[in-house]
mmCIF file of all heavy atoms in Angstrom:
data_model
loop_
_atom_site.group_PDB
_atom_site.id
_atom_site.type_symbol
_atom_site.label_atom_id
_atom_site.label_comp_id
_atom_site.label_asym_id
_atom_site.label_seq_id
_atom_site.Cartn_x
_atom_site.Cartn_y
_atom_site.Cartn_z
ATOM 1 N N SER N 703 106.632 126.297 80.959
ATOM 2 C CA SER N 703 107.747 127.199 80.653
ATOM 3 C C SER N 703 109.090 126.594 81.206
ATOM 4 O O SER N 703 109.065 125.707 82.005
ATOM 5 C CB SER N 703 107.510 128.595 81.364
ATOM 6 O OG SER N 703 107.482 128.430 82.766
ATOM 7 N N SER N 704 110.190 127.205 80.785
ATOM 8 C CA SER N 704 111.475 126.594 81.144
ATOM 9 C C SER N 704 111.689 126.800 82.620
ATOM 10 O O SER N 704 112.380 125.899 83.199
ATOM 11 C CB SER N 704 112.592 127.285 80.419
ATOM 12 O OG SER N 704 112.637 128.702 80.695
ATOM 13 N N SER N 705 111.089 127.806 83.319
ATOM 14 C CA SER N 705 111.273 128.017 84.688
ATOM 15 C C SER N 705 110.280 127.116 85.516
ATOM 16 O O SER N 705 110.445 126.788 86.636
ATOM 17 C CB SER N 705 110.906 129.416 85.066
ATOM 18 O OG SER N 705 109.521 129.696 84.881
ATOM 19 N N GLY N 706 109.303 126.539 84.848
ATOM 20 C CA GLY N 706 108.294 125.779 85.495
ATOM 21 C C GLY N 706 107.182 126.618 86.083
ATOM 22 O O GLY N 706 106.212 126.080 86.618
ATOM 23 N N GLY N 707 107.283 127.944 85.896
ATOM 24 C CA GLY N 707 106.395 128.862 86.606
ATOM 25 C C GLY N 707 105.056 129.013 85.924
ATOM 26 O O GLY N 707 104.109 129.454 86.557
ATOM 27 N N ARG N 708 105.071 128.677 84.639
ATOM 28 C CA ARG N 708 103.820 128.836 83.936
ATOM 29 C C ARG N 708 103.476 127.538 83.258
ATOM 30 O O ARG N 708 104.298 126.905 82.643
ATOM 31 C CB ARG N 708 103.888 129.927 82.936
ATOM 32 C CG ARG N 708 103.962 131.373 83.500
ATOM 33 C CD ARG N 708 103.734 132.450 82.486
ATOM 34 N NE ARG N 708 102.368 132.426 81.917
ATOM 35 C CZ ARG N 708 101.962 133.041 80.785
ATOM 36 N NH1 ARG N 708 102.843 133.509 79.987
ATOM 37 N NH2 ARG N 708 100.703 132.972 80.395
ATOM 38 N N THR N 709 102.222 127.178 83.331
ATOM 39 C CA THR N 709 101.720 125.949 82.675
ATOM 40 C C THR N 709 100.380 126.275 81.992
ATOM 41 O O THR N 709 99.697 127.225 82.309
ATOM 42 C CB THR N 709 101.583 124.830 83.577
ATOM 43 O OG1 THR N 709 100.508 125.132 84.681
ATOM 44 C CG2 THR N 709 102.834 124.479 84.380
ATOM 45 N N ASN N 710 100.006 125.413 81.084
ATOM 46 C CA ASN N 710 98.703 125.511 80.497
ATOM 47 C C ASN N 710 98.288 124.217 79.921
ATOM 48 O O ASN N 710 99.066 123.224 79.763
ATOM 49 C CB ASN N 710 98.648 126.515 79.331
ATOM 50 C CG ASN N 710 97.266 126.961 78.946
ATOM 51 O OD1 ASN N 710 96.350 126.967 79.772
ATOM 52 N ND2 ASN N 710 97.203 127.663 77.778
ATOM 53 N N TYR N 711 96.901 124.035 79.811
ATOM 54 C CA TYR N 711 96.304 122.748 79.452
ATOM 55 C C TYR N 711 95.216 122.915 78.457
ATOM 56 O O TYR N 711 94.546 123.901 78.547
ATOM 57 C CB TYR N 711 95.739 121.983 80.715
ATOM 58 C CG TYR N 711 96.814 121.798 81.745
ATOM 59 C CD1 TYR N 711 96.976 122.822 82.723
ATOM 60 C CD2 TYR N 711 97.506 120.562 81.904
ATOM 61 C CE1 TYR N 711 97.905 122.579 83.743
ATOM 62 C CE2 TYR N 711 98.362 120.446 82.907
ATOM 63 C CZ TYR N 711 98.611 121.452 83.791
ATOM 64 O OH TYR N 711 99.474 121.178 84.819
ATOM 65 N N VAL N 712 95.093 122.006 77.604
ATOM 66 C CA VAL N 712 93.863 122.060 76.702
ATOM 67 C C VAL N 712 92.652 121.726 77.644
ATOM 68 O O VAL N 712 92.705 121.018 78.581
ATOM 69 C CB VAL N 712 94.047 120.899 75.661
ATOM 70 C CG1 VAL N 712 93.940 119.475 76.218
ATOM 71 C CG2 VAL N 712 92.971 121.108 74.511
ATOM 72 N N ASP N 713 91.552 122.278 77.281
ATOM 73 C CA ASP N 713 90.358 122.255 78.124
ATOM 74 C C ASP N 713 89.931 120.850 78.440
ATOM 75 O O ASP N 713 89.465 120.548 79.573
ATOM 76 C CB ASP N 713 89.158 122.922 77.461
ATOM 77 C CG ASP N 713 89.270 124.373 77.434
ATOM 78 O OD1 ASP N 713 90.134 124.918 78.141
ATOM 79 O OD2 ASP N 713 88.514 125.103 76.744
ATOM 80 N N SER N 714 90.064 119.907 77.607
ATOM 81 C CA SER N 714 89.650 118.531 77.777
ATOM 82 C C SER N 714 90.462 117.793 78.921
ATOM 83 O O SER N 714 89.932 116.699 79.356
ATOM 84 C CB SER N 714 89.710 117.714 76.535
ATOM 85 O OG SER N 714 90.969 117.671 75.982
ATOM 86 N N VAL N 715 91.557 118.303 79.293
ATOM 87 C CA VAL N 715 92.324 117.577 80.315
ATOM 88 C C VAL N 715 92.539 118.441 81.611
ATOM 89 O O VAL N 715 93.043 117.988 82.615
ATOM 90 C CB VAL N 715 93.729 117.199 79.773
ATOM 91 C CG1 VAL N 715 93.665 116.395 78.562
ATOM 92 C CG2 VAL N 715 94.694 118.374 79.624
ATOM 93 N N LYS N 716 91.969 119.699 81.602
ATOM 94 C CA LYS N 716 92.101 120.482 82.803
ATOM 95 C C LYS N 716 91.511 119.826 84.084
ATOM 96 O O LYS N 716 90.344 119.266 83.896
ATOM 97 C CB LYS N 716 91.466 121.809 82.550
ATOM 98 C CG LYS N 716 92.290 122.760 81.788
ATOM 99 C CD LYS N 716 91.580 124.163 81.429
ATOM 100 C CE LYS N 716 92.413 125.063 80.586
ATOM 101 N NZ LYS N 716 91.784 126.329 80.308
ATOM 102 N N GLY N 717 92.191 119.881 85.137
ATOM 103 C CA GLY N 717 91.777 119.264 86.364
ATOM 104 C C GLY N 717 92.048 117.786 86.453
ATOM 105 O O GLY N 717 91.896 117.233 87.549
ATOM 106 N N ARG N 718 92.519 117.130 85.316
ATOM 107 C CA ARG N 718 92.864 115.780 85.348
ATOM 108 C C ARG N 718 94.368 115.496 85.191
ATOM 109 O O ARG N 718 94.963 114.605 85.694
ATOM 110 C CB ARG N 718 92.095 115.018 84.331
ATOM 111 C CG ARG N 718 90.559 115.106 84.386
ATOM 112 C CD ARG N 718 89.896 114.234 83.470
ATOM 113 N NE ARG N 718 90.126 114.484 82.039
ATOM 114 C CZ ARG N 718 90.708 113.660 81.156
ATOM 115 N NH1 ARG N 718 91.047 112.460 81.486
ATOM 116 N NH2 ARG N 718 90.863 114.090 79.931
ATOM 117 N N PHE N 719 94.965 116.376 84.324
ATOM 118 C CA PHE N 719 96.439 116.253 84.034
ATOM 119 C C PHE N 719 97.253 117.267 84.727
ATOM 120 O O PHE N 719 96.761 118.523 84.879
ATOM 121 C CB PHE N 719 96.647 116.375 82.508
ATOM 122 C CG PHE N 719 96.110 115.176 81.712
ATOM 123 C CD1 PHE N 719 95.253 114.250 82.204
ATOM 124 C CD2 PHE N 719 96.557 115.056 80.310
ATOM 125 C CE1 PHE N 719 94.808 113.146 81.472
ATOM 126 C CE2 PHE N 719 96.053 114.058 79.579
ATOM 127 C CZ PHE N 719 95.208 113.139 80.160
ATOM 128 N N THR N 720 98.365 116.930 85.079
ATOM 129 C CA THR N 720 99.354 117.973 85.692
ATOM 130 C C THR N 720 100.747 117.819 85.014
ATOM 131 O O THR N 720 101.281 116.665 85.076
ATOM 132 C CB THR N 720 99.467 117.745 87.159
ATOM 133 O OG1 THR N 720 98.114 117.882 87.790
ATOM 134 C CG2 THR N 720 100.341 118.828 87.794
ATOM 135 N N ILE N 721 101.241 118.969 84.530
ATOM 136 C CA ILE N 721 102.549 118.899 84.009
ATOM 137 C C ILE N 721 103.564 119.441 84.992
ATOM 138 O O ILE N 721 103.235 120.426 85.743
ATOM 139 C CB ILE N 721 102.672 119.724 82.658
ATOM 140 C CG1 ILE N 721 103.943 119.520 81.893
ATOM 141 C CG2 ILE N 721 102.324 121.138 82.918
ATOM 142 C CD1 ILE N 721 104.011 120.119 80.519
ATOM 143 N N SER N 722 104.733 118.908 85.057
ATOM 144 C CA SER N 722 105.688 119.403 85.986
ATOM 145 C C SER N 722 107.109 119.062 85.374
ATOM 146 O O SER N 722 107.277 118.327 84.447
ATOM 147 C CB SER N 722 105.602 118.738 87.380
ATOM 148 O OG SER N 722 105.720 117.377 87.310
ATOM 149 N N ARG N 723 108.142 119.713 85.994
ATOM 150 C CA ARG N 723 109.484 119.456 85.505
ATOM 151 C C ARG N 723 110.514 119.343 86.692
ATOM 152 O O ARG N 723 110.279 119.984 87.644
ATOM 153 C CB ARG N 723 109.955 120.400 84.451
ATOM 154 C CG ARG N 723 110.009 121.901 85.012
ATOM 155 C CD ARG N 723 110.148 122.909 83.826
ATOM 156 N NE ARG N 723 111.386 122.585 83.113
ATOM 157 C CZ ARG N 723 111.520 122.895 81.768
ATOM 158 N NH1 ARG N 723 110.530 123.463 81.179
ATOM 159 N NH2 ARG N 723 112.558 122.652 81.178
ATOM 160 N N ASP N 724 111.479 118.571 86.572
ATOM 161 C CA ASP N 724 112.628 118.457 87.496
ATOM 162 C C ASP N 724 113.867 118.771 86.693
ATOM 163 O O ASP N 724 114.429 117.775 86.057
ATOM 164 C CB ASP N 724 112.656 117.157 88.135
ATOM 165 C CG ASP N 724 113.665 116.986 89.251
ATOM 166 O OD1 ASP N 724 114.621 117.792 89.241
ATOM 167 O OD2 ASP N 724 113.558 116.099 90.062
ATOM 168 N N ASN N 725 114.357 119.989 86.638
ATOM 169 C CA ASN N 725 115.410 120.334 85.807
ATOM 170 C C ASN N 725 116.726 119.608 86.186
ATOM 171 O O ASN N 725 117.627 119.418 85.511
ATOM 172 C CB ASN N 725 115.614 121.791 85.748
ATOM 173 C CG ASN N 725 114.599 122.472 84.873
ATOM 174 O OD1 ASN N 725 113.804 121.882 84.154
ATOM 175 N ND2 ASN N 725 114.471 123.845 84.865
ATOM 176 N N ALA N 726 116.780 119.317 87.531
ATOM 177 C CA ALA N 726 117.981 118.657 88.066
ATOM 178 C C ALA N 726 118.124 117.243 87.455
ATOM 179 O O ALA N 726 119.203 116.668 87.312
ATOM 180 C CB ALA N 726 117.851 118.522 89.573
ATOM 181 N N LYS N 727 116.905 116.611 87.135
ATOM 182 C CA LYS N 727 116.965 115.365 86.492
ATOM 183 C C LYS N 727 116.708 115.395 85.058
ATOM 184 O O LYS N 727 116.643 114.380 84.401
ATOM 185 C CB LYS N 727 115.778 114.468 87.118
ATOM 186 C CG LYS N 727 115.954 114.236 88.577
ATOM 187 C CD LYS N 727 114.791 113.304 89.100
ATOM 188 C CE LYS N 727 115.078 112.907 90.546
ATOM 189 N NZ LYS N 727 113.979 111.953 91.062
ATOM 190 N N ASN N 728 116.667 116.704 84.490
ATOM 191 C CA ASN N 728 116.464 116.848 83.061
ATOM 192 C C ASN N 728 115.276 116.134 82.586
ATOM 193 O O ASN N 728 115.315 115.553 81.458
ATOM 194 C CB ASN N 728 117.784 116.347 82.338
ATOM 195 C CG ASN N 728 118.258 117.439 81.303
ATOM 196 O OD1 ASN N 728 118.041 118.685 81.453
ATOM 197 N ND2 ASN N 728 119.043 116.985 80.352
#
């Protein structure tokens, strides 16, 4: 989400991939 507060993953990557964002760095 734009706030970074909600994330979701396809089942095949859960536990292996992590999404994150740094809005200050765009």
